[in-house]
Amino acid sequence: MHVLCTAGHVDHGKSTLVRALTGMEPDRFAEEKRRGMTIDLGFAWTDLPGAGTVAFVDVPGHEKFVGTMLAGAGPVPAAMFVVAADEGWMPQSGEHADALAAAGLEHGLLVITRSDLLDPDLALADAREELAARGLGGWPSVAVSATTGAGLDTLRAALTDLVAALPEPEPDAPTRLWVDRAFTVRGAGTVITGTLPTGRIGPGTELELDGEGGRFPVTVRGVQELNEPVENASAVARVALNLRGLPRDDVARGDALLTPGAWPVARELDVRLHGIGRPAEMPDGPTGLTLHAGSAAVPVRVRPLGTTDDGEVIVRLRPDRPLPLRIGDRAVLRDPGARRVVAGATVLDPDPPPLRRRRGAAKARAQELAGATGVPDADAELTRRGVARAADLVRIGVPRADVDDLATRVPGAAGWLLTAGRAAEAVAALDRAVAGQDPLDPGVPLAAARRAADLPDAALVPAVLTAAGSSLVIRDGRVRSAADAPPPDELLRAAAAVRADLEAAPFTAPNADRLAELGLGAKELAVLERAGELLRVAPDVVLAPDAEDRAVEVLRGLGPTFTPADVRTALGTSRRVVVPLLELLAKRGRTVRTPDGDHRLR
C-alpha cells in the first residue's frame, strides 16, 4: 500500500478529486457534506494498475484548520497538491505549500482541477512558479476535471509513477505510528487510526503509547486495513487499531504508538532551521511557536544557539511535552497567531547536553553541530558525546549495525562506549586523584574514582585504564598506582616489633594496648597488610605473615575433624584469635565445616 495526502486551498476540489479517483466519500461528518468543505481528516483508497492500493489522507484547506492539515500530511511521504483552474493560486495554497516545503516533502504531484471551467494553463504556470520558489519545482503536473472525467486516466498514470519513486518501506524497523484519529466503537472500545510508515503490527502486539500523560504500555486487540481485519499490518499502511483496556480519554491526535524502548524521550532538541525558498532566519522570540511533528502540534520554547559560518541557523527547542523524535526527523515550526509557517526543522540531536554556564557556550554548540547533516553517523555522535550507551545511540537513530561496528573499534564496558580522547581525559583525572591520596591510605575507591573521572558507570573505570595504557591498576576495590610506595620506615619497624613478639608464641596476637604503644591503628595495619608485613585475621588481630600456613600444619595433626576448642589448645592461644582464624581459613578454602558443626581440612 502507498499513502498520499491532499493539499491546497479550501474548496479547490480536493475531496471531489479523491471521490472521482476512488469512488468513496472522504468527508466523514454531516457538516462537511452540508457545507461542501472538509473540516477534519478524511480517508479513501483505490487500486491503481501497476501501483497496487493507494490511500489518500484528505486534509482541510481552510485557514482555520492548517493544524489539522499538518496532522494529516506529517506522517505521509508524498502529496497531491490541488489548485483550481478557475481560481488559481490562493492564500491557503501558499501556506499549504510552505508547510510541505518546511516538512521536507520531496515527492509530490501538482493537479490543476476544474479544467472544464477555465483553461488550466495560467493556473498551472502560476502554481509551478510558486512551488519552485519554495523548492518544490520538480513536481510533475496534471490538469483534470473531476466533473467530466477529463485527465483522470493521465492522473492515475502520474500517481503510479509517483508512488513508484517513493522510498522502500522498512517493515523490520521500529514502529512509530502517529495517531490522527481516536474514537470509541460500541462493543470494541477505543480505536485509533494512523499511517504506519515502518514496522509491523498485529493482534497481541505490545506497544508504548506516548502522549500527554507520558509513556505506558498498551496491547493491540485487533487490526484493520481499509476497513478489513488483518492478522498483520506491514508498512506502509493505513491502519485502525483496537487497543485493549485503553480509555478513549487517554489517547488523542498527536500521540504516538511506539516499539517499546526503541524511541528517545526528547525533552529538548537541537535542530537546524530551513527557510522556505530562502535562508532561514532566527525566530523573533522564545515563545509563541508551535512544533508540528507527525500528527502532533506542541508549543515550544526556542533558544537560539547561533548561526554557523555557513549561514545555518541552529536552535534548541523545548516542547511542552517530550516527543519521540530521532536524528534526521523533519518538523514544521509555525506561528499560529500570525497563521504562517516560520521554518522547517531537521533534528540534529534529540538528547543534547546541558549548555555550560559560560559566555559563548551556545555559539560553541552551534559550531559543534555545523557539520551535522541529519543523517545519523555513529562515529560523529560518539565523538560529540565522548561517552554514551550503545543502546542510546540506536534509540536516537544510529543504525544498530553501525553501533555494533563502532563497539569493535572503541573502548567500553557494560554497554557503554567512549572515545579514546575521553578515556585519556578520565585517566588524567584518575592520576590526579590517586596522587592526592594519603600515603597511608593509597588509592581511590571505585565509586570515588568514577566521580573523579566524570564517568557514568564504575564499570568504565577498568575500561579507560586499559584503553589509555595507564600505569594505574585496580586492586582491593581501589584504583592505585601499580608501584605503590613501600610503608614508611617507622611502620616497618613497628611490624618488625610485632613479629618479634610473636616468635615465642606465634598465635598470641598482641593486644590493643601493645598495638597502640607501637602506633599501629586501623589505617597503619591496613598499610602493613597490603605490603605483606603482617597478617590481619580481624580488624584488631594481627599475626606474622606465615601464620596461616603454620596453623594448617598444626591442624594436620589433630585428626580428621576438630573443634574450635581443639584448635585453641593446639595453637596455644585464645578464642579471640581462633574464631577469626578459622573463618579466614574457611574463606580461603583451606577448611570446611562438617555436618555436625566441626571443622576439617579440605
Side-chain angles (χ1 to χ4, degrees):
M1 182 190 303
H2 303 280
V3 183
L4 313 178
C5 72
T6 63
H9 191 76
V10 61
D11 199 28
H12 272 208
K14 297 185 293 297
S15 300
T16 302
L17 184 60
V18 170
R19 193 179 306 117
L21 285 169
T22 66
M24 301 176 67
E25 177 57 69
D27 290 337
R28 298 181 292 111
F29 299 125
E31 183 183 356
E32 292 180 323
K33 297 172 183 177
R34 178 178 59 80
R35 296 169 61 182
M37 181 180 74
T38 300
I39 60 177
D40 205 342
L41 301 177
F43 310 100
W45 59 89
T46 188
D47 288 327
L48 293 180
T53 301
V54 178
F56 297 91
V57 180
D58 189 33
V59 306
H62 197 281
E63 64 178 355
K64 294 182 179 179
F65 304 117
V66 171
T68 303
M69 174 266 174
L70 283 164
V76 302
M80 186 168 66
F81 197 94
V82 176
V83 177
D86 58 333
E87 292 193 9
W89 193 266
M90 297 290 282
Q92 289 315 115
S93 304
E95 188 166 8
H96 280 210
D98 287 347
L100 297 179
L105 210 71
E106 298 179 356
H107 302 277
L109 176 65
L110 170 62
V111 182
I112 305 298
T113 58
R114 302 180 189 166
S115 62
D116 56 315
L117 299 182
L118 194 70
D119 188 318
D121 287 349
L122 180 59
L124 178 60
D126 286 346
R128 281 176 171 169
E129 182 178 346
E130 293 285 353
L131 290 177
R134 294 166 170 83
L136 306 176
W139 290 4
S141 58
V142 179
V144 302
S145 169
T147 302
T148 67
L152 287 180
D153 287 342
T154 303
L155 174 58
R156 291 185 179 96
L159 287 170
T160 298
D161 292 340
L162 174 64
V163 299
L166 295 180
E168 287 294 319
E170 299 180 82
D172 296 324
T175 295
R176 181 180 58 186
L177 187 149
W178 294 98
V179 176
D180 51 37
R181 289 174 58 205
F183 50 92
T184 300
V185 174
R186 182 176 298 176
T190 301
V191 174
I192 66 93
T193 66
T195 300
L196 178 65
T198 60
R200 293 184 176 89
I201 300 178
T205 299
E206 302 286 340
L207 297 170
E208 288 180 331
L209 178 66
D210 181 290
E212 290 283 354
R215 287 189 184 177
F216 54 89
V218 295
T219 302
V220 177
R221 175 186 288 167
V223 183
Q224 285 191 354
E225 280 188 24
L226 310 181
N227 288 346
E228 295 294 332
V230 295
E231 284 302 313
N232 189 51
S234 182
V236 172
R238 278 295 304 176
V239 297
L241 306 181
N242 180 205
L243 301 178
R244 179 178 298 142
L246 180 70
R248 163 64 185 86
D249 292 343
D250 287 352
V251 60
R253 174 177 292 163
D255 294 351
L257 288 168
L258 312 171
T259 297
W263 295 87
V265 180
R267 294 178 174 84
E268 290 187 320
L269 306 157
D270 285 351
V271 305
R272 174 188 294 114
L273 298 186
H274 305 273
I276 302 165
R278 60 187 184 279
E281 298 178 358
M282 195 69 73
D284 293 336
T287 60
L289 300 183
T290 296
L291 183 71
H292 295 265
S295 63
V298 182
V300 291
R301 292 187 64 86
V302 181
R303 175 170 182 174
L305 295 181
T307 303
T308 69
D309 294 339
D310 295 331
E312 299 170 341
V313 176
I314 310 294
V315 301
R316 178 163 293 185
L317 303 179
R318 177 181 280 275
D320 271 10
R321 68 174 176 90
L323 293 170
L325 297 177
R326 284 179 161 182
I327 296 170
D329 280 336
R330 284 292 291 256
V332 176
L333 272 179
R334 183 171 180 265
D335 184 340
R339 293 181 178 175
R340 70 182 183 93
V341 174
V342 174
T346 294
V347 177
L348 303 180
D349 192 342
D351 185 24
L355 290 177
R356 299 180 184 274
R357 293 182 177 273
R358 58 178 176 81
R359 188 177 182 86
K363 180 68 174 179
R365 175 63 175 168
Q367 293 301 331
E368 182 183 6
L369 293 171
T373 63
V375 176
D377 181 280
D379 288 285
E381 294 306 322
L382 181 61
T383 298
R384 273 195 289 273
R385 287 164 172 77
V387 58
R389 285 189 190 275
D392 288 342
L393 294 179
V394 174
R395 196 172 290 115
I396 64 174
V398 181
R400 180 171 294 279
D402 293 352
V403 175
D404 291 342
D405 175 66
L406 180 65
T408 66
R409 298 183 281 108
V410 302
W416 292 92
L417 305 173
L418 72 166
T419 62
R422 184 67 183 81
E425 292 173 3
V427 168
L430 290 173
D431 282 334
R432 293 191 295 271
V434 170
Q437 290 301 107
D438 184 340
L440 294 182
D441 189 23
V444 180
L446 270 178
R450 178 197 69 77
R451 292 191 296 272
D454 192 22
L455 294 172
D457 193 318
L460 281 170
V461 175
V464 301
L465 296 180
T466 301
S470 173
S471 61
L472 299 177
V473 297
I474 298 175
R475 191 164 62 240
D476 301 326
R478 301 169 74 90
V479 178
R480 61 180 71 238
S481 171
D484 280 342
D489 290 342
E490 61 270 20
L491 287 191
L492 293 176
R493 288 192 292 270
V498 171
R499 292 195 299 270
D501 292 346
L502 293 167
E503 284 182 2
F507 299 100
T508 304
N511 59 30
D513 290 340
R514 175 58 173 160
L515 294 177
E517 178 188 334
L518 294 172
L520 297 178
K523 183 184 295 185
E524 290 77 12
L525 290 174
V527 172
L528 292 172
E529 181 183 27
R530 286 193 296 268
E533 297 291 329
L534 294 174
L535 172 65
R536 192 160 56 153
V537 297
D540 59 349
V541 177
V542 293
L543 300 174
D546 62 348
E548 180 183 338
D549 292 335
R550 295 177 68 173
V552 170
E553 288 302 315
V554 173
L555 297 180
R556 291 189 193 281
L558 292 183
T561 65
F562 41 84
T563 66
D566 297 331
V567 176
R568 186 177 64 219
T569 301
L571 297 182
T573 186
S574 65
R575 182 176 178 82
R576 168 176 169 263
V577 174
V578 167
V579 172
L581 180 59
L582 285 174
E583 290 175 353
L584 177 68
L585 294 175
K587 181 179 179 181
R588 296 186 176 179
R590 307 193 74 169
T591 64
V592 295
R593 297 295 294 270
T594 64
D596 58 3
D598 290 344
H599 302 259
R600 65 175 176 83
L601 291 175
R602 182 180 293 275

